[in-house]
Amino acid sequence: MRILCTNDDGINAPGLEILEQIAKDLSDDVWVVAPEYDQSGVSHSLSLNDPLRLREIEPRHFAVRGTPTDCVIMGSRHILGKKGPDLVLSGVNRGRNVAEDVVYSGTIAGALEGTMLGLPSFALSQEFSTETGDRPVWETARTFGPQILRKVIDAGIPKNTVVNVNFPACAPEEVAGVLVTRMGKRNLGFLKVVERRDGRGNPYFWIGFEKADAADTPAAGTDLAAIAARCVSVTPLRLDRTDDAFVEVLTATLK
């Protein structure tokens, strides 16, 4: 099995090294194609107006001056040659990708691009807490990643579905289990815009986050609830975002 690894934290991110170790538990034919720089939050953006610069760091390790989507396309359609990848792994992201994170995440987008190209694809993310922010417990992803991937691959991943795996911010021995979940939803009221001034007095802005006064109780069965319970969350996400129920309403309304 030929595996293509990517991420959105950049070619030098520690989580990418963990991902490669996970991949090597599954195969000895592992390739790494990742962004030259941090691309967190770029979602599924594709570089159409800028050239892509490619740098070979060492055998089977390449940096692309572009997005995770660019990296998966470059890897599968150019770098790996005629024999493309059999599997795409994206991550291991520093920080969880649950609920609305799925929409923003470059990690998810890398896996989605693999799915769009007809390849079984996984996104893997390691949650960190206030205590572990500087040093996420990568060993949790390293411990549980290979066994989860093997089982899901053996079960067979439907076409047009990407598997989103999130590991809780605790040591491997503290993990309470593995749960299959659905995408959660949280209060985004904590988003804020911070205005500052540069050296010339001109305004510039940062999009940031405010600490919530009280944490919402996540709905049962969601990725948020699983992570809160110190469980690994495994969420199958579909490319088809059609709201089937609303289709029926619109069909009746627009007759």
Side-chain angles (χ1 to χ4, degrees):
M1 180 168 56
R2 176 169 277 196
I3 302 177
L4 172 61
C5 296
T6 193
N7 72 349
D8 73 352
D9 289 331
I11 190 69
N12 296 313
L16 185 61
E17 184 178 347
I18 299 299
L19 184 71
E20 187 175 3
Q21 292 173 15
I22 291 171
K24 286 183 176 178
D25 276 2
L26 306 176
S27 171
D28 59 1
D29 192 0
V30 176
W31 296 68
V32 175
V33 183
E36 184 82 62
Y37 308 111
D38 190 337
Q39 296 288 311
S40 299
V42 301
S43 189
H44 210 145
S45 58
L46 178 66
S47 298
L48 296 177
N49 297 314
D50 299 302
L52 298 177
R53 304 292 182 182
L54 179 66
R55 182 168 67 95
E56 184 173 4
I57 296 173
E58 58 183 272
R60 297 188 183 185
H61 290 72
F62 298 83
V64 175
R65 197 168 295 184
T67 69
T69 301
D70 297 329
C71 291
V72 173
I73 294 173
M74 285 288 288
S76 60
R77 291 291 188 262
H78 176 69
I79 296 170
L80 272 65
K82 290 183 179 179
K83 187 183 183 303
D86 302 303
L87 178 71
V88 173
L89 303 181
S90 184
V92 175
N93 190 66
R94 181 183 175 274
R96 65 188 188 178
N97 277 306
V98 294
E100 292 85 359
D101 299 337
V102 167
V103 179
Y104 300 113
S105 169
T107 302
I108 301 291
L112 281 172
E113 186 60 32
T115 300
M116 288 173 63
L117 294 174
L119 304 167
S121 302
F122 292 81
L124 295 89
S125 303
Q126 175 63 59
E127 182 192 39
F128 61 83
S129 62
T130 330
E131 295 77 21
T132 63
D134 293 335
R135 293 184 178 180
V137 190
W138 296 114
E139 190 57 31
T140 301
R142 179 68 185 88
T143 300
F144 286 90
Q147 55 184 280
I148 291 173
L149 265 59
R150 282 194 192 97
K151 289 180 179 179
V152 176
I153 292 169
D154 288 345
I157 303 173
K159 287 186 177 180
N160 300 320
T161 297
V162 63
V163 182
N164 183 26
V165 184
N166 282 273
F167 305 96
C170 61
E173 60 272 17
E174 297 173 332
V175 173
V178 179
L179 295 178
V180 178
T181 59
R182 68 180 189 276
M183 181 178 157
K185 189 178 190 319
R186 61 173 171 247
N187 177 14
L188 288 182
F190 58 84
L191 278 172
K192 65 177 180 179
V193 176
V194 178
E195 180 178 353
R196 296 179 182 174
R197 300 277 169 174
D198 64 18
R200 296 183 178 182
N202 298 314
Y204 67 95
F205 304 88
W206 283 109
I207 293 177
F209 304 93
E210 291 180 319
K211 188 174 181 181
D213 295 332
D216 294 335
T217 302
T222 63
D223 45 17
L224 288 167
I227 288 293
R230 289 191 165 185
C231 290
V232 180
S233 168
V234 180
T235 313
L237 303 171
R238 296 177 59 189
L239 289 181
D240 184 355
R241 301 182 184 181
T242 308
D243 186 334
D244 292 323
F246 197 41
V247 164
E248 294 181 13
V249 174
L250 287 179
T251 301
T253 301
L254 300 175
K255 276 184 178 178

